[in-house]
Amino acid sequence: MHTLIVVAHPDQTSLTHHVVERLLTGLAPLSTAVADLAAEKFDPRFTLDDHLAYSGARGLPADVLDEQQRLERAQHLVVVFPVYWWSMPAQLKGWFDRVFADGFAYRSTAAGVAPALQWLTMHFVPIAATRAEPFARRGYESALRTQLEHGIVDYCGGIRGTFALINGSQGTTPLAMVDAAVGQVIDKIRTDPRALGKA
């Protein structure tokens, strides 16, 4: 049982990174790894090389292959990120654009799209500056869930895990809210039949 945690935030002292540390502590001694996109300077730009790989004219760039290998080792993917403009940061969006490529996350066939990530359970921990009530009232939480769960997980045939939104990060985020979000993800992973040796 292996979990890959992907984090997208440049500040190591941020609440985002605090959540990652809490996840690592709570998941021990299960196998975990962290992909810190900012610290690793992952390039999110979908370049001509990526486009040529998508069209089949050449292979995938080396950095994309490295990320795909990290994912192939995992049964759980946990994505922790701050909400920017009601969505994910550009670096994380570029990670999905480039890494969840045709031939890896899904396969284009004459009959349509064939999902390819059936082994991977995906969890999302978005961290929003806005308080919970206006975030929900304006439909932002629903829109974000649709983008992530339907647009990524379902499209790629993955397993929907936990969606644990943390609100109010620019104020004093209640510790109970952080505890609840982290606890939901940890419980879901620890009770996976694969972690219990039942699969």
Side-chain angles (χ1 to χ4, degrees), residues 3 15 26 34 44 46-47 52 55 77-79 81 94 114 119 129 133 138 146 152 157 162 164 174 179-180 187 189:
T3 298
L15 178 60
V34 176
F46 193 90
T47 66
L52 291 173
S55 64
L77 169 66
V78 183
V79 187
F81 62 95
W119 82 89
E133 187 278 325
R138 293 169 179 158
T146 298
I152 297 176
T162 303
D179 287 342
D187 288 347
I189 294 172

Side-chain angles (χ1 to χ4, degrees), residues 6 9 14 21 28-29 34 56 60 64 78 83 86 98 107 114-115 125 147-148 152 164 171 180 183 198:
V6 174
H9 199 298
S14 64
E21 291 303 318
V34 176
L60 289 166
V64 171
V78 183
V83 175
W86 320 115
R98 299 186 65 214
R107 293 179 179 85
V125 186
Q147 176 190 170
L148 298 172
I152 297 176
K198 297 180 180 178

Side-chain angles (χ1 to χ4, degrees), residues 70-156:
R70 287 209 274 202
L71 272 170
E72 285 174 335
R73 291 192 291 270
Q75 288 76 47
H76 287 268
L77 169 66
V78 183
V79 187
V80 185
F81 62 95
V83 175
Y84 293 167
W85 291 105
W86 320 115
S87 184
M88 63 185 88
Q91 192 167 44
L92 180 58
K93 176 61 165 61
W95 186 81
F96 280 111
D97 289 345
R98 299 186 65 214
V99 177
F100 280 50
D102 189 359
F104 175 75
Y106 63 93
R107 293 179 179 85
S108 297
T109 69
V113 174
L117 296 183
Q118 290 87 346
W119 82 89
L120 187 64
T121 301
M122 301 185 218
H123 312 267
F124 298 96
V125 186
I127 301 171
T130 308
R131 290 178 295 105
E133 187 278 325
F135 200 88
R137 175 168 43 85
R138 293 169 179 158
Y140 296 134
E141 180 176 352
S142 175
L144 190 56
R145 289 189 73 135
T146 298
Q147 176 190 170
L148 298 172
E149 294 181 332
H150 179 68
I152 297 176
V153 182
D154 296 350
Y155 189 84
C156 299

